[in-house]
Amino acid sequence: MPEIDWAALRREAVEAMSHAYIPYSHFPVGVAGLVDDGRIVSGCNVENAAYGVGLCAECGMVSDLHRTGGGRLVAVYCVGGDEAPLMPCGRCRQLLWENGGPECLLQTPEGVLSMREVLPQAFGADNLT
């Protein structure tokens, strides 16, 4: 497993946030994730006039993960407009579980937590077998 450089992940999340398309909420979000092969993937939120079809930053990051070769997320850092750690919404916690699993680490406003701690008793692929 690659070493986690939390400062580098934060920098990449802040950079991604600068590309957010947020004409309605004016609430930018950026996220960066470390992949098990050492790559860093990122994403930003993209709003839509039909509010329900907006995309969270984590959606973009997971798309970037698969676009650039797949793998598993090892660590994730999400920031809001103040550049402080931001807790992902429920939908995005599910995305992180699916693409990183229970051991994936997440920088939260209260410190680093594993996805097992963030999403206890999670529903995942094992439930479908």
Side-chain angles (χ1 to χ4, degrees):
M1 180 175 3
E3 185 176 325
I4 300 168
D5 182 344
W6 290 104
L9 284 177
R10 182 183 176 279
R11 282 190 303 275
E12 187 66 26
V14 169
E15 195 282 328
M17 181 182 62
S18 73
H19 301 285
Y21 176 71
I22 52 165
Y24 309 107
S25 74
H26 306 288
F27 189 83
V29 178
V31 65
L34 177 64
V35 183
D36 57 2
D37 65 5
R39 280 178 295 135
I40 293 180
V41 292
S42 64
C44 62
N45 57 326
V46 176
E47 295 180 344
N48 189 288
Y51 294 148
V53 296
L55 298 173
C56 295
E58 293 84 351
C59 295
M61 179 187 67
V62 166
S63 291
D64 196 33
L65 169 70
H66 292 285
R67 181 190 65 79
T68 60
R72 301 292 286 166
L73 293 169
V74 173
V76 174
Y77 204 125
C78 182
V79 297
D82 61 358
E83 301 183 6
L86 181 66
M87 193 65 163
C89 71
R91 171 181 147 186
C92 291
R93 293 178 198 193
Q94 186 68 34
L95 281 173
L96 296 179
W97 183 274
E98 182 80 14
N99 292 278
E103 303 310 317
C104 178
L105 299 176
L106 176 64
Q107 176 66 58
T108 77
E110 296 185 4
V112 175
L113 299 173
S114 72
M115 284 306 300
R116 183 184 319 281
E117 295 169 290
V118 171
L119 198 60
Q121 300 182 43
F123 179 86
D126 293 344
N127 299 105
L128 300 176
T129 57

